[in-house]
């Protein structure tokens, strides 16, 4: 099991859009569109993953995780259950008080009004008023699948209004350097420059495909 408290600085990713990261990492590192911010506007969320698995109808391990996840971590939950809430207002409030940066849940929550009022970031599939049970004990910080993306403890999760991207911990430096280079290049390019290059590329592809005006 990976120790989720053993991670280097992640704050540099707070200024990197998920669109830039997705272009570098590819589709398999991007969660599906069903996992979305439950209130807004949300600030961009970036932090190391603390991973949890909850079977359908059960939320015990998420409730255990809020007392074990390190400050600034993002609790990422594999569940897929749309019939029972993984968390409610009090659980989110305790997580927030303990310094957890936010939740990314492949499931649903309840008490959205309380969560919104407290300003605690939650990305999930929706809201339902029915709570889950607390029976199943499973290991924490093991590999999970959330929104179709594989997440290991300590991976960097970046979430904003465009989506949620998972940066593998062992590629952190590489992806950060690539993202910075890409953003620097984009900032130096005017819209006229972009249009000229874009039109030339589109026309080239059209010609190659036999398109005729």
């Amino acid at each position: 099991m990976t120790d989720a408290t053993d991670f280097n600085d992640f704050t540099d990713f707070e200024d990197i859009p998920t669109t830039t990261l997705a272009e570098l990492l590819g589709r398999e590192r991007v969660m599906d569109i069903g996992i979305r911010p439950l209130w807004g506007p949300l600030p961009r969320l970036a932090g190391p993953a603390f991973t949890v698995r909850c079977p359908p109808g059960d939320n015990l391990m998420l409730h255990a995780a809020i007392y074990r996840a390190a400050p600034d971590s993002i609790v990422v939950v594999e569940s897929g259950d749309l019939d029972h809430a993984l968390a409610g207002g009090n659980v989110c409030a305790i997580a927030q008080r303990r310094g957890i940066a936010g939740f990314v849940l492949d499931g649903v929550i309840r008490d959205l009004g309380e969560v919104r009022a407290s300003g605690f970031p939650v990305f999930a599939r929706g809201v339902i008023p029915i709570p889950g049970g607390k029976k199943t004990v499973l290991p924490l910080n093991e590999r999970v699948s959330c929104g179709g993306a594989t997440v290991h403890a300590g991976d960097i999760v970046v979430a904003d209004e465009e989506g949620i991207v998972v940066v593998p911990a062992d590629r952190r430096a590489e992806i950060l350097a690539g993202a910075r280079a890409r953003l620097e290049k984009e900032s130096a390019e005017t819209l006229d420059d972009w249009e000229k290059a874009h039109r030339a590329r589109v026309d080239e592809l059209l010609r190659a495909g036999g398109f005729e005006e």
Side-chain angles (χ1 to χ4, degrees):
M1 182 177 75
T2 303
D3 182 356
T5 63
D6 183 18
F7 54 82
N8 298 320
D9 183 65
F10 57 87
T11 56
D12 288 333
F13 283 92
E14 293 175 350
D15 295 326
I16 307 294
T18 55
T19 49
T20 301
L21 295 172
E23 290 177 2
L24 292 167
L25 287 163
R27 177 65 186 87
E28 66 275 10
R29 293 293 176 180
V30 180
M31 294 187 191
D32 70 55
I33 63 172
I35 302 181
R36 61 192 187 279
L38 294 188
W39 59 269
L42 278 178
R44 182 171 296 121
L45 194 62
F50 187 98
T51 57
V52 181
R53 285 187 294 123
C54 290
D58 199 292
N59 59 28
L60 175 59
M61 296 318 298
L62 171 56
H63 290 225
I66 65 172
Y67 299 107
R68 291 161 177 81
D72 297 320
S73 60
I74 297 174
V75 174
V76 179
V77 179
E78 173 184 328
S79 172
D81 182 12
L82 301 181
D83 295 322
H84 305 86
L86 288 165
N90 286 342
V91 168
C92 291
I94 295 299
Q96 185 177 38
R97 188 164 70 180
R98 293 182 60 83
I100 292 170
F103 287 169
V104 174
L105 312 176
D106 199 334
V108 294
I109 70 163
R110 65 180 192 161
D111 304 326
L112 178 58
E114 295 178 29
V115 177
R116 182 193 300 115
S118 71
F120 184 67
V122 177
F123 291 74
R125 293 198 181 275
V127 181
I128 199 168
I130 304 171
K134 295 173 181 61
K135 295 181 180 179
T136 305
V137 175
L138 294 170
L140 293 168
N141 275 331
E142 294 196 331
R143 182 181 66 184
V144 300
S145 177
C146 187
T150 298
V151 187
H152 295 84
D155 286 350
I156 301 299
V157 177
V158 183
D160 60 21
E161 63 184 3
E162 300 285 348
I164 307 164
V165 180
V166 181
V167 180
D170 60 0
R171 297 184 63 193
R172 186 179 318 170
E174 168 205 343
I175 297 302
L176 181 60
R180 284 175 169 167
R182 186 170 294 230
L183 290 172
E184 182 177 355
K185 179 181 178 182
E186 290 174 356
S187 68
E189 184 180 52
T190 68
L191 183 58
D192 288 341
D193 294 334
W194 187 92
E195 181 185 9
K196 181 179 179 181
H198 177 255
R199 183 166 186 173
R201 177 60 174 156
V202 170
D203 288 347
E204 177 186 354
L205 292 170
L206 291 174
R207 285 192 300 272
F211 179 80
E212 298 181 4
E213 298 288 351

